[in-house]
Each structure stands twice: as C-alpha cells, then as structure tokens.
Amino acid sequence: MSESMEKKLADAMAELTAVQEAVARAESELSQASATSRSRDRAVEATVGPQGELTALKFPDNKYRNMTGPQLAASVMEAVQEGRAEMARRVMDVFEPLTQTSGRPTGLRGMDIDWDRAFGSALDGPDGGRRRSAARLHDEIHED
C-alpha cells in the first residue's frame, strides 16, 4: 500500500474513532436527561426521559379536582406531548454536530438522521400533535 493511501486510511480511522467517541459522549449526556412541562391550564406537570417515556406525573395545586375526565385527560396529553417535544429538541441539539460534514480530506460526511422517523409526533409544533392527540383522546373518552 502506498504511503498516501496508508495516511488516508489512518486519517479515516482517526475520524471514525472521534465520531464514535462523540456519539458515546452524547449518549452519556442524554442518558440522565429529562424534560418537565406543564399544561397550559397549569393543572398537570409531566416529566419525560431521554426516549420520550413518561417518568413522572404531578397535579400541582390540586386543580384536577374541578376538572371533568376529558379536561384532565386533555391536560395530561398536552403536558406529556410538550415534554416529549422538548426532549426531542434536546436530543436533536446534542446530535446535530454529528450530522455536519467534517470538511476533512477523508471525504467522510455527516450522519443522516431521519428525525421524523426517530421522534414521530413528538416533533409536531405547539399546535400540531398536541391538539390532535388530545382531541383523539377526548373523542375516545366520549365514545365510551
């Protein structure tokens, strides 16, 4: 193997190692992350983990006592969806540098990540998925 080819291979391996280390750091950073959000009516507080899983649910000030079942369900869904969206944005921010082209002579390009596939409805805007999810749950509750 020529010396220049060996250098290119060594550079590519070094870059690969750097990317693997960056991914490990990002995963470590996110492993303990959480996001907490409240519904607009302030009746529900939800905390979600790094994969969007619900880890805590609180009802501050006991406002839920004056709510109907569908109202409370909508507030829970809203708080959880907002927490999932916040956590998804945080994950995207942490991994975003890894999606950029390195610009190094090895020609390695950034990772392609399908964020829609990874997070689904968690990426819907503030008026997007939350209302659809809450409305769908509201409809299901009324049908029962």
Side-chain angles (χ1 to χ4, degrees):
M1 196 174 333
S2 73
E3 190 172 316
S4 66
M5 185 60 101
E6 287 177 8
K7 177 155 177 28
K8 286 181 183 180
L9 181 58
D11 289 347
M13 291 302 293
E15 187 171 351
L16 177 60
T17 299
V19 168
Q20 289 172 329
E21 290 170 354
V23 168
R25 281 191 306 275
E27 288 175 342
S28 176
E29 176 184 333
L30 291 170
S31 70
Q32 301 301 314
S34 66
T36 300
S37 61
R38 276 197 176 180
S39 58
R40 283 186 296 248
D41 60 14
R42 315 295 284 164
V44 178
E45 181 178 284
T47 301
V48 299
Q51 296 178 327
E53 72 278 12
L54 183 63
T55 59
L57 191 62
K58 295 180 183 176
F59 303 98
D61 305 323
N62 294 320
K63 290 182 180 183
Y64 72 94
R65 292 178 187 241
N66 298 322
M67 300 173 80
T68 65
Q71 289 171 327
L72 179 57
S75 292
V76 168
M77 293 299 292
E78 179 185 0
V80 170
Q81 179 61 28
E82 182 59 34
R84 288 181 66 225
E86 182 180 330
M87 196 69 239
R89 287 187 298 269
R90 189 177 307 169
V91 168
M92 290 172 62
D93 288 345
V94 168
F95 279 97
E96 194 271 334
L98 298 174
T99 65
Q100 304 302 312
T101 303
S102 70
R104 293 185 181 159
T106 60
L108 293 178
R109 58 187 200 95
M111 299 180 340
D112 289 328
I113 299 175
D114 184 349
W115 296 119
D116 289 329
R117 183 171 169 222
F119 296 113
S121 66
L123 294 178
D124 289 342
D127 295 334
R130 282 198 313 238
R131 287 194 181 154
R132 283 195 305 270
S133 296
R136 185 171 54 244
L137 179 60
H138 180 76
D139 291 345
E140 289 173 8
I141 291 170
H142 276 11
E143 290 174 5
D144 287 344

